[in-house]
Amino acid sequence: MPPLPKRKYAASRQGKRRSHLKIALPHIIDCPRCKSPRLAHHACPICGTYRGREVIRLPEPELD
């Protein structure tokens, strides 16, 4: 038979152990060119720019 704890762990001790197990919110900033929200250190999905230059060429909208 394996060893078992002799007493119940207190809730505060359990909380201290789990204090780093949380979900981090993504760091969202506004794009300086088009002002749409984007992730920090990522290219803007709307205008395709990163640090003031175009890094993603987005397709032009088709006019029917």
Side-chain angles (χ1 to χ4, degrees):
M1 182 179 233
L4 297 173
K6 293 200 182 269
R7 288 185 205 96
K8 176 182 177 179
Y9 275 100
S12 63
R13 182 177 287 252
Q14 178 179 340
K16 288 177 190 176
R17 187 176 66 245
R18 294 179 181 171
S19 66
H20 67 284
L21 299 177
K22 61 181 182 289
I23 297 174
L25 294 173
H27 189 197
I28 297 177
I29 61 170
D30 290 335
C31 176
R33 183 175 177 195
C34 65
K35 308 297 185 221
S36 64
R38 68 173 177 90
L39 287 174
H41 306 288
H42 285 72
C44 179
I46 305 300
C47 63
T49 59
Y50 181 69
R51 297 185 72 177
R53 58 191 168 103
E54 184 178 357
V55 293
I56 300 172
R57 181 150 309 178
L58 299 173
E60 295 290 326
E62 296 180 16
L63 300 174
D64 291 331

